[in-house]
Amino acid sequence: MLSFLYARQSGLDDPVRLRRAESTRRVLSLELNHNRDVDRIHGNGINTLDIEVIDGRYMLSGGSDGIIVIYDLENNSKKPQYTCKAICTVGRSSRHVHKFSVETVQWYPHDTGMFVSSSSDKTMKVWDTETLKVVSELLCYSSHSALLCSVLAVGTKDPKVQLCDLKSGSRIHILQGHRGEILSVRWSPRYDHILATASTDIRVRIWDVRRASGSLFTLDQHNGDKSKASSEAVNTAHNGRVNGLCFTADGLHLLTTGTDDRMRLWNSGTGENTLVNYGKVVNESCKGLKFTVSRGCSPEFVFVPCGSSVAVYGLHSGELITMLRGHYNNVDCCEFHPDYQELYSGGKDCNILAWVPVLRQPGIEDDETNSKRGGTQAAINPAFEDAWSSDVD
Amino acid sequence: MSYNYVVTAQKPTAVNACVTGHFTSAEDLNLLIAKNTRLEIYVVTAEGLRPVKEVGLYGKIAVMELFRPKVCVRTHPEELSLKQASSVRKYRLGLTRVGDLLLITGAALLTRCALNSQVIDVQFLYGCQAPTVCFIYQDPQGRHVKTYEVSLREKEFNKGPWKQENVEAEASMVIPVPEPFGGAIIIGQESITYHNGDKYLAIAPPTIKQSTIVCHNRVDPNGSRYLLGDMEGRLFMLLLEKEELMDGAVVLKDLHVELLGETSIAECLTYLDNGVVFVGSRLGDSQLVKLNVDSNDQGSYVAVMETFTNLGPIVDMCVVDLERQGQGQLVTCSGAFKEGSLRIIRNGIGIHEHASIDLPGIKGAVKFLGGASSRSTASVLELSRLVKHTAVTTHTHTTEPYCTVVVFTCVCVQITSVSVRLVTQDSKALVSEWKEPQGKNISVASCNSTQVVLAVGRVLYYLQILTGELKQISSTEMEHEVACLDITPLGESAGESSICAVGLWTDISARLLKLPCFSPLHKEMLGGEIIPRSILMTTFEGSHYLLCALGDGALFYFGLDIQTGVLSERKKVTLGTQPTVLRTFRSLSTSNVFACSDRPTVIYSSNHKLVFSNVNLKEVNYMCPLNSEGYPDSLALANNSTLTIGTIDEIQKLHIRTTVAEKEVKGAVYSMVEFNGKLLASINSTVRLYEWTAEKELRTECNHYNNIMALYLKTKGDFILVGDLMRSVLLLAYKPMEGSFEEIARDFNPNWMSAVEILDDDNFLGAENAFNLFVCQKDSAATTDEERQHLQEVGLFHLGEFVNVFSHGSLVLQNLGESSTPTQGSVLFGTVNGMIGLVTSLSESWYSLLLDLQNRLNKVIKSVGKIEHSLYPSAAVRDVNSHSRTLSHTHTHTHTLTLTHSARKGAWTLLVSHCDVEAATDDLLWRRGLSTLLHHSF
């Protein structure tokens, strides 16, 4: 660390290098930490999480029980130990609440005053954060949505992908091409007219929404090599249903997961399969899988729910770096906090767990302080982890 | 709300890049030096480097290359291409690496290629059919060299003519070799390799292993010699030995590396001409070195011709007042590795004292020295004799001589209160004498080599100096008594002035009279009640000026038309508090004016704007230039008790002296400060207060843990500001009674900090990783606990420089006498690139005025490379949402200094028309606004 600080101070290194190196170190040291706790509100599995990008302060969660919760991630306790408070909840008592499981929640990208949710109760709701009331509602089948500015892309049980205008609440465009249920939709963070959709028809399509015609291209796991694929498997991304999509932060690559227990990394510009081998990525989810990638690290990492743990892979190396174990049931979603390199994961055990980087140990020379603050020391000691986890239950 | 103003005191000095070529014209050999956001253009002449122009950019210069547009039939001067972080401008076929992206550009972006494996270096190759790039990349197996052809039609990379896998593990640079050889040289840690597809040649000279080669430059157009520079500052020559084959083809026979000698640690090298090399350095001073054919005693072929001071990287600094004059000096820890040094920086002009004599009542002696100044053989001994001699003369005449001028080599004019005497210098014989007809005393006089004008009360007399005779030509009576006068010849009048400038008592006016008839040309009422004490006509940079100093230290200056005698562009500055005497002198072949007062000032012109620079002397009553063998280009300065002879430092530079020192740090203690007699330290994530025990040992009193990594500490009273590695700033209060820390407030923005400072009780300044400055405010009046815990970001400013250190203090005297300076407090900052700047608070009205001015200037000033000013701050990595921006941008303010008169007026007219400010306040606002801020602030 001192050498990085010196190199930054004397201008030998670009200041970004220190930032990347430290971010990477922090991601590699992620663990459950007794200093951080998230209020337990949901009484059922948690399907989806989203952290807003403006202040990085508020997190949304949507559960199988139809409840939506907003958490404040900021530490106002003036102490290292704190609990992320649930500041408001759309509970069963609210007349706006979703009747069935909430599949997606997402903040409006430019303002925390609004967010959208979609549910298997065949509705899509746009919420006012202040009043927690629905400002507009769309009827559609069980849906997965992705929001970009004022255009909302909705994938449903129907193979057609719908684009809705958030202002008017009306459908403005329909993208046709898939032949099965849409399990995931994502906008490219690089170009605001590029959309990726994943479907049970084992295909992933990339769309340019400015064009009226069909998709730009379909991802092909064999890169066009006919000899490797049977005729019906041409232009397929996976050998099973594709249930997860995630662009890298720079938008140059796209990750997909499928029920064939594979994860694939694609060049999002050309649709080429980069053939990074992540090994077997167990994927039993029959719904959409919400996984995420790190931001600002070098190299970058993928966090993907895998059974009851979160697997951390090197994005370009494909190497399994670690399994974050802590949940008692299947993990359905995880969300990375790019500002502080923290990971939040939600699972069927109704918990949201915060994975926090280990702090560097303070000076070793003071025995008296160490004994006084045994707590922080314990955080570094893995033996305390289990004891803490059982507290949560 | 607090408003702050950021201004540059010392521009960046670290050199990032340099190129040589014919840029300003086909005949000129130019050296272009990039210093972060600034570009300096020099012409290489036989005498050395001559600066042509300096331009500022709204962006950092990442790469700089010269190229000649190929489509033009006529040879154009090579055009400059500037690449901003991710945008490429005016490039014929360019190659840019931005992070993990490789961009090939033509008129627009042609293609991009994401590089999964780490690319170490990339270059275009010479002599290929299609554009071919060659790069070194790293994968888990090691480093490899690959070539790719760029298909311009398909905008794609195709497989290139050759590749070489598993080159040296530390291979770091590709040097493309021009024809006839072609191919590329790969520089590694231990070896240098040549490849061109069919030929492979590697050498591993032991001398290069010591350090890492960081830069290279081609010496000959045919690519047979290359300069290499390493991290230890050693300079090598790489020679390519050629061999002619039977079929006439030229191929490479062997490679040789020779150590030439030691220079500063080079960041970039460029070969100018005639064995002269410019060594651009980021870690030490840049140098101009000569490569000699023969080695010197130390075995070095390198001789340093010139050194260009570089303050960067400023790792730490503090403001001290060494000379106890109320004027701060800045001590910086500059440089890195072998270039590490401590430097002392002071504002203004330094006088190097060479000799001084204690002489009470020295008034007369200095004036006599005015006569002796042109004598080329004056030495210390002679000087003291002259002083003695003067004393004798004054004694015999019982009058003080006013003014002595050597007219010819052997004759001098001596003006005393009773008479004007023409004296031969050798024999001291009186040739001619003029006395006032009624024998009245001469009150003031001025003379040049052919003319004398003197005043006796209200009457002015004009005398001409003829051979062996003083002849009265004319006389006139003024309305009031004459206070001061001047007949310095201006323009091409060759020693004779056609204008006489006069300052009068009673009506406090400055007048211009025509000589010899004394007909009035112009009358300027100065206003007020303080009489003019000294008047002077002078020429700076081809423009004529009239300067008139008053008895209270104020100075009026005007533009002067020497044909009509009309004064224009009246302006006023305050130089001191005592009567001021103006004297001209020449330094480095430009004319300057020395204003003698309690705060001596040197007045000179920079870009047709007068600049007032203070001098590191306490009080000067009289001054005259002295140019003799013993004291070449010197000044003689006198106050009531002492005569000092000194030389003047180069003007317009911060005064920098260098010493060498070492600093030792132990452990992971990131910061330590004295705090209420105790020691406050930050150790990793902990802020810890140590108290002294009776046994003088340190004992922990209390800790604060809620940080990720506490890197920086600043204190004020019981408050502590902590700068975190990545969690912005945190304000702590120390509770002496409880012996504990309390968290007061925190900025929750994820800023990666590089320096912090406490501006006042409520405002906190921070600098962060993405080259921004920001100000946070504590809101003590907030109603809720949560609001009180938040430091609100109230100002943001994109500086474009990595700030390492903040320090309270100023390099100028604090009590300037001018209470109108609209700023409060001052914090200096030092950056990696050797820039020193200042942050100061100003009122809201000043802020809005300056912001308005800045916006208007942006409409007038054309930016280089058409990079909009408004784009500059957005280049910051961090997104800034609708935060109010109350740090005024000064990029353009520094620009105003280089505006021509007309452009400046244009901008001002725009502003005035908007603000409904009367034309009369133009001068006041302009002067007080910008020059006060810019010059008094620094």
Side-chain angles (χ1 to χ4, degrees), chain B residues 251-285:
Chain B
V251 295
L252 182 75
K253 189 182 166 202
D254 205 359
L255 296 166
H256 296 285
V257 172
E258 257 179 72
L259 176 64
L260 296 178
E262 201 170 313
T263 63
S264 289
I265 298 174
E267 172 72 11
C268 53
L269 292 167
T270 186
Y271 184 83
L272 300 177
D273 207 359
N274 286 328
V276 178
V277 177
F278 178 77
V279 179
S281 180
R282 210 156 42 97
L283 304 172
D285 293 345

Coordinates of all heavy atoms in Angstrom, one line a residue, chain B residues 251-285:
Chain B
V251 N 21.1 -4.8 -44.6 CA 20.5 -5.5 -43.5 C 21.3 -5.1 -42.2 O 22.4 -4.6 -42.3 CB 20.5 -7.0 -43.7 CG1 19.6 -7.4 -44.8 CG2 21.9 -7.5 -43.8
L252 N 20.7 -5.5 -41.1 CA 21.3 -5.2 -39.8 C 22.4 -6.2 -39.5 O 22.1 -7.4 -39.7 CB 20.2 -5.2 -38.8 CG 20.7 -4.9 -37.4 CD1 20.9 -3.4 -37.2 CD2 19.6 -5.4 -36.4
K253 N 23.5 -5.7 -39.1 CA 24.6 -6.7 -38.8 C 24.7 -6.9 -37.2 O 24.7 -8.0 -36.8 CB 25.9 -6.1 -39.3 CG 27.0 -7.1 -39.2 CD 28.3 -6.5 -39.7 CE 29.6 -7.3 -39.3 NZ 30.8 -6.5 -39.3
D254 N 24.6 -5.8 -36.5 CA 24.8 -6.0 -35.1 C 24.2 -4.8 -34.3 O 23.9 -3.7 -34.9 CB 26.3 -6.1 -34.7 CG 26.5 -6.9 -33.4 OD1 25.4 -7.2 -32.8 OD2 27.6 -7.0 -33.0
L255 N 24.0 -5.0 -33.0 CA 23.5 -3.9 -32.2 C 24.6 -3.6 -31.1 O 25.2 -4.5 -30.6 CB 22.2 -4.3 -31.4 CG 21.0 -4.6 -32.2 CD1 20.0 -5.3 -31.4 CD2 20.4 -3.4 -32.8
H256 N 24.7 -2.3 -30.8 CA 25.7 -1.9 -29.7 C 25.0 -0.9 -28.8 O 24.2 -0.1 -29.3 CB 26.9 -1.2 -30.3 CG 27.7 -2.1 -31.2 ND1 28.5 -3.0 -30.7 CD2 27.8 -2.1 -32.6 CE1 29.1 -3.7 -31.7 NE2 28.7 -3.1 -32.9
V257 N 25.3 -1.0 -27.5 CA 24.8 -0.1 -26.6 C 25.9 0.6 -25.9 O 26.8 -0.1 -25.4 CB 23.8 -0.7 -25.5 CG1 23.5 0.3 -24.4 CG2 22.6 -1.2 -26.2
E258 N 25.9 1.9 -25.8 CA 27.0 2.6 -25.2 C 26.4 3.6 -24.1 O 25.5 4.2 -24.4 CB 27.8 3.4 -26.2 CG 29.1 2.8 -26.5 CD 29.9 3.6 -27.5 OE1 30.4 4.7 -27.2 OE2 29.9 3.2 -28.7
L259 N 27.0 3.6 -22.9 CA 26.6 4.5 -21.9 C 27.2 5.8 -22.2 O 28.4 6.0 -22.3 CB 27.1 4.0 -20.5 CG 26.8 4.9 -19.3 CD1 25.3 5.0 -19.1 CD2 27.4 4.3 -18.1
L260 N 26.4 6.9 -22.3 CA 26.9 8.2 -22.6 C 27.2 9.0 -21.3 O 28.2 9.7 -21.3 CB 25.9 9.0 -23.5 CG 25.6 8.4 -24.8 CD1 24.5 9.2 -25.5 CD2 26.9 8.3 -25.7
G261 N 26.4 8.8 -20.3 CA 26.6 9.6 -19.1 C 25.3 9.7 -18.4 O 24.3 9.1 -18.6
E262 N 25.3 10.6 -17.4 CA 24.2 10.8 -16.5 C 23.5 12.1 -16.7 O 24.2 13.2 -16.8 CB 24.6 10.6 -15.0 CG 23.4 10.2 -14.2 CD 23.9 9.8 -12.8 OE1 24.8 9.0 -12.7 OE2 23.3 10.3 -11.8
T263 N 22.2 12.1 -16.7 CA 21.4 13.3 -16.8 C 20.3 13.3 -15.7 O 20.4 12.4 -14.8 CB 20.7 13.4 -18.1 OG1 19.8 12.3 -18.2 CG2 21.6 13.4 -19.3
S264 N 19.4 14.1 -15.7 CA 18.2 14.0 -14.8 C 17.5 12.7 -15.2 O 17.7 12.2 -16.4 CB 17.2 15.2 -15.0 OG 17.8 16.3 -14.5
I265 N 16.6 12.2 -14.4 CA 15.8 11.1 -14.7 C 14.8 11.5 -15.8 O 14.0 12.3 -15.7 CB 15.0 10.5 -13.5 CG1 16.0 10.1 -12.4 CG2 14.1 9.4 -13.9 CD1 15.4 9.7 -11.1
A266 N 15.0 10.9 -17.0 CA 14.3 11.3 -18.2 C 12.9 10.7 -18.2 O 12.7 9.6 -17.9 CB 15.1 11.0 -19.4
E267 N 12.0 11.6 -18.6 CA 10.6 11.1 -18.9 C 10.5 11.0 -20.4 O 9.8 10.1 -21.0 CB 9.6 12.1 -18.4 CG 8.2 11.9 -18.8 CD 7.6 10.7 -18.1 OE1 8.2 10.2 -17.1 OE2 6.5 10.3 -18.5
C268 N 11.2 11.9 -21.1 CA 11.2 11.9 -22.6 C 12.5 12.5 -23.1 O 13.1 13.3 -22.4 CB 10.0 12.7 -23.1 SG 9.9 14.4 -22.5
L269 N 12.9 12.1 -24.2 CA 14.2 12.6 -24.8 C 13.8 13.1 -26.2 O 13.0 12.5 -26.9 CB 15.2 11.4 -24.9 CG 15.7 10.8 -23.7 CD1 16.4 9.5 -24.0 CD2 16.7 11.7 -23.0
T270 N 14.5 14.1 -26.6 CA 14.4 14.5 -28.0 C 15.7 15.0 -28.5 O 16.3 15.9 -27.8 CB 13.2 15.4 -28.3 OG1 13.1 15.5 -29.7 CG2 13.3 16.7 -27.7
Y271 N 16.2 14.6 -29.6 CA 17.4 15.0 -30.2 C 17.1 16.2 -31.0 O 16.3 16.2 -31.9 CB 18.0 13.9 -31.1 CG 19.3 14.2 -31.7 CD1 20.5 14.0 -30.9 CD2 19.5 14.7 -33.0 CE1 21.7 14.3 -31.4 CE2 20.7 15.0 -33.5 CZ 21.8 14.8 -32.7 OH 23.1 15.1 -33.2
L272 N 17.8 17.4 -30.7 CA 17.5 18.6 -31.4 C 18.4 18.7 -32.7 O 17.9 18.6 -33.8 CB 17.7 19.8 -30.5 CG 16.9 19.9 -29.2 CD1 17.3 21.0 -28.4 CD2 15.4 19.9 -29.6
D273 N 19.6 19.0 -32.5 CA 20.5 19.2 -33.6 C 21.9 19.3 -33.0 O 22.1 19.6 -31.9 CB 20.1 20.4 -34.3 CG 20.6 20.4 -35.8 OD1 21.1 19.3 -36.2 OD2 20.3 21.3 -36.5
N274 N 23.0 19.0 -33.9 CA 24.3 19.3 -33.5 C 24.7 18.6 -32.1 O 25.4 19.2 -31.3 CB 24.6 20.8 -33.3 CG 24.7 21.4 -34.7 OD1 25.1 20.7 -35.7 ND2 24.3 22.6 -34.8
G275 N 24.2 17.5 -31.9 CA 24.5 16.8 -30.6 C 23.9 17.3 -29.4 O 24.3 17.0 -28.3
V276 N 22.9 18.1 -29.6 CA 22.2 18.7 -28.4 C 20.9 17.9 -28.2 O 20.1 17.6 -29.1 CB 21.8 20.2 -28.6 CG1 21.0 20.7 -27.4 CG2 23.1 20.9 -28.8
V277 N 20.6 17.5 -27.0 CA 19.5 16.7 -26.6 C 18.7 17.4 -25.5 O 19.3 17.9 -24.6 CB 19.9 15.3 -26.1 CG1 18.7 14.4 -25.7 CG2 20.7 14.6 -27.2
F278 N 17.4 17.4 -25.7 CA 16.5 17.9 -24.6 C 16.1 16.7 -23.7 O 15.5 15.7 -24.3 CB 15.3 18.7 -25.1 CG 14.4 19.1 -24.0 CD1 14.8 20.3 -23.3 CD2 13.3 18.5 -23.7 CE1 13.9 20.7 -22.3 CE2 12.4 18.9 -22.7 CZ 12.8 20.0 -22.0
V279 N 16.4 16.7 -22.5 CA 16.0 15.7 -21.5 C 14.8 16.2 -20.7 O 15.0 17.1 -19.9 CB 17.1 15.3 -20.6 CG1 16.7 14.2 -19.7 CG2 18.3 14.8 -21.4
G280 N 13.6 15.8 -21.0 CA 12.4 16.2 -20.3 C 12.2 15.3 -19.1 O 12.3 14.1 -19.2
S281 N 12.1 15.9 -17.9 CA 12.0 15.1 -16.7 C 10.7 15.5 -15.9 O 10.3 16.6 -15.9 CB 13.2 15.3 -15.8 OG 13.1 14.6 -14.7
R282 N 10.2 14.5 -15.3 CA 9.0 14.7 -14.5 C 9.4 14.6 -13.0 O 8.7 15.1 -12.1 CB 8.0 13.5 -14.7 CG 6.6 13.8 -14.6 CD 5.8 12.8 -15.4 NE 6.3 11.5 -15.4 CZ 5.8 10.6 -14.6 NH1 4.8 10.8 -13.8 NH2 6.3 9.3 -14.5
L283 N 10.5 13.9 -12.7 CA 10.9 13.7 -11.4 C 12.0 14.7 -10.9 O 12.3 14.8 -9.7 CB 11.4 12.3 -11.2 CG 10.4 11.2 -11.6 CD1 11.0 9.8 -11.6 CD2 9.2 11.2 -10.7
G284 N 12.7 15.4 -11.9 CA 13.7 16.3 -11.5 C 13.7 17.4 -12.5 O 12.8 17.6 -13.3
D285 N 14.8 18.2 -12.5 CA 14.9 19.4 -13.5 C 15.1 18.8 -14.9 O 15.9 17.9 -15.1 CB 16.0 20.3 -13.1 CG 15.8 21.0 -11.8 OD1 14.6 21.0 -11.3 OD2 16.7 21.5 -11.2

